[in-house]
Amino acid sequence: MAQNPNLAALSAAGVSVWLDDLSRERLRTGNLQELVDTRSVVGVTTNPSIFQAALSHGEAYDAQIKELAERGADVDATIRTVTTDDVRNACDVLAPTYEASGGVDGRVSIEVDPRLARDADKTIAQAIELWKIVDRPNLLIKIPAMEEGLPAITAVIAEGISVNVTLIFSVERHRAVMDAYLAGLEKAKEAGHDLSKIHSVASFFVSRVDSEIDKRLEDIGSDDAKALRGKAGIANSRLAYAAYQEVFESGERFGRLKADGARVQRVLWASTGVKNPDYSDTLYVTELVAPDTVNTMPEKTLEAVADHGEITGDTVSGTAAEAQQVFDQLDAIGIDLTDVFLVLENEGVEKFEKSWAELMEATQQQLDEKKS
């Protein structure tokens, strides 16, 4: 099967194409393998919302949940079992990609319980537990980039476990995440871990930034304000990439670790589905093309890029000054960017907690039905 030319061009430009979705249906039907073969997909991300949707629809999980119900499994154990099974199976589908890429791609992410986001010790314990349960080298453990989560990132990396740091909205927090990663590598080195085996991505959210800032620009209502709509998400991301280059391409601290085999912490563009119908449905892909990045897309966005995405090469490197101008204009017009990022972070955790609660409710209902 031939690869789609648009997505192949995106890969050739240095962007790893990951799918922001997973379900047992995708695994059973061979759909995930088909996306690997025809859509240049080399990784998968999951989150509580994705699992909530997967478990709440269809009958793919019925037999396993019935078996778990008969064994007396509670709702937490059931969710842990079915989600880690899906992730392990996806890791196996992507194992050839993992081997071919030297461990860079072929990755599948699973998130710690979002209710633990503000508790570093419990996050660390669950990260280690999930790593052991899935038991695949191409797993990434997702840890939210809350301020309370930063020590957990360092501690989990120090254990030699690969991490996907999620829910990053600001460049300031991205810098703190990179620092936490480097601190983890330094501790891993002291502990005797092979640094070349430890991988990490920093998931920088894009579309939600535009959604929140556009809403505030609409409230201001001036022509100058309206002219800035749809610009903040891309500008923010481009500034994040400039920060990445500063730390990993020219930074002395990483340079010392690199000599021992350490890998860069790639920037992953997350939340790349376009929410405003006025904008191009490939905006957060075509405008964020840069070497050594990842773009994790919902299937709708993946198919939009396959159909009409125009890949013109690197659209990020060298754009930091222009991106900063956008932020200066937002600040001048009265957008409180600190508040924007705080709101987005809190909402991000709340959304995942809500999805987790819905997942628990739906799973408990299925367990009760299977018992009766």
Side-chain angles (χ1 to χ4, degrees):
M1 285 185 274
Q3 293 287 2
N4 173 270
N6 294 346
L7 290 160
L10 185 63
S11 296
V15 181
S16 291
V17 177
W18 290 9
L19 176 70
D20 192 30
D21 193 51
L22 183 64
S23 67
R24 192 154 299 178
E25 196 70 20
R26 280 195 193 280
L27 291 161
R28 282 186 177 170
T29 60
N31 172 262
L32 179 57
Q33 183 62 55
E34 184 182 340
L35 294 175
V36 171
D37 294 337
T38 66
R39 294 292 185 265
S40 297
V41 168
V42 292
V44 169
T45 49
T46 68
N47 60 44
S49 303
I50 285 168
F51 279 128
Q52 188 269 331
L55 267 81
S56 300
H57 300 99
E59 300 171 354
Y61 298 92
D62 285 2
Q64 184 176 27
I65 290 176
K66 184 174 189 297
E67 181 190 334
L68 288 164
E70 288 168 353
R71 277 199 260 149
D74 65 15
V75 66
D76 285 312
T78 301
I79 290 170
R80 186 166 57 248
T81 299
V82 297
T83 56
T84 54
D85 281 1
D86 278 2
V87 167
R88 187 184 305 108
N89 289 333
C91 282
D92 290 344
V93 171
L94 288 162
T97 303
Y98 170 77
E99 296 293 340
S101 66
V104 173
D105 283 312
R107 295 277 170 177
V108 184
S109 297
I110 189 169
E111 189 153 348
V112 295
D113 183 333
R115 295 172 298 177
L116 309 179
R118 300 184 191 278
D119 189 321
D121 290 341
K122 288 181 179 176
T123 293
I124 294 163
Q126 191 175 79
I128 294 169
E129 179 188 34
L130 289 170
W131 182 258
K132 289 176 179 175
I133 292 171
V134 176
D135 192 26
R136 293 294 185 272
N138 50 331
L139 180 69
L140 288 172
I141 303 293
K142 285 179 87 172
I143 299 175
M146 318 296 291
E147 201 166 334
E148 301 90 336
L150 296 172
I153 294 159
T154 295
V156 174
I157 291 288
E159 292 287 334
I161 295 171
S162 295
V163 172
N164 175 344
V165 185
T166 188
L167 287 178
I168 306 171
F169 294 99
S170 71
V171 177
E172 181 185 18
R173 185 55 54 83
H174 180 215
R175 286 187 179 278
V177 165
M178 292 188 286
D179 185 68
Y181 173 60
L182 294 175
L185 288 177
E186 288 160 352
K187 290 186 176 184
K189 179 184 171 183
E190 286 173 22
H193 289 292
D194 180 352
L195 298 190
S196 70
K197 296 285 197 296
I198 303 171
H199 288 255
S200 184
V201 293
S203 293
F204 204 82
F205 279 53
V206 188
S207 67
R208 292 189 198 180
V209 172
D210 272 339
S211 295
E212 180 64 26
I213 290 180
D214 282 4
K215 184 171 65 177
R216 298 182 186 212
L217 291 169
E218 292 279 1
D219 288 343
I220 293 169
S222 68
D223 289 343
D224 286 347
K226 289 178 181 178
L228 288 167
R229 287 177 302 181
K231 294 186 176 180
I234 298 296
N236 196 35
S237 302
R238 288 173 171 172
L239 289 170
Y241 188 73
Y244 157 83
Q245 288 181 301
E246 182 187 315
V247 170
F248 291 105
E249 293 181 6
S250 55
E252 289 183 12
R253 188 179 180 190
F254 178 70
R256 291 191 293 271
L257 291 161
K258 187 179 180 182
D260 290 303
R263 312 282 192 143
V264 301
Q265 183 184 53
R266 291 187 295 169
V267 185
L268 178 151
W269 310 125
S271 183
T272 55
V274 176
K275 295 175 174 62
N276 188 331
D278 293 340
Y279 303 155
S280 163
D281 56 1
T282 62
L283 176 67
Y284 303 126
V285 179
T286 58
E287 296 302 310
L288 292 175
V289 178
D292 295 320
T293 58
V294 180
N295 196 309
T296 187
M297 308 176 212
E299 189 169 25
K300 185 178 178 183
T301 304
L302 183 77
E303 290 304 325
V305 176
D307 182 64
H308 53 266
E310 295 183 18
I311 310 303
T312 57
D314 188 341
T315 54
V316 177
S317 299
T319 62
E322 184 185 340
Q324 185 59 50
Q325 282 182 350
V326 171
F327 269 59
D328 291 344
Q329 290 169 326
L330 289 167
D331 184 55
I333 214 162
I335 299 296
D336 183 345
L337 292 163
T338 301
D339 183 66
V340 166
F341 296 133
L342 182 63
V343 166
L344 287 169
E345 183 177 280
N346 288 334
E347 279 183 356
V349 174
E350 285 167 12
K351 283 177 183 175
F352 282 167
E353 286 178 345
K354 183 171 181 284
S355 294
W356 195 266
E358 289 169 356
L359 172 59
M360 291 183 71
E361 187 180 337
T363 305
Q364 185 63 61
Q365 189 177 343
Q366 289 189 52
L367 282 169
D368 293 342
E369 287 170 2
K370 301 296 185 286
K371 284 176 189 170
S372 57

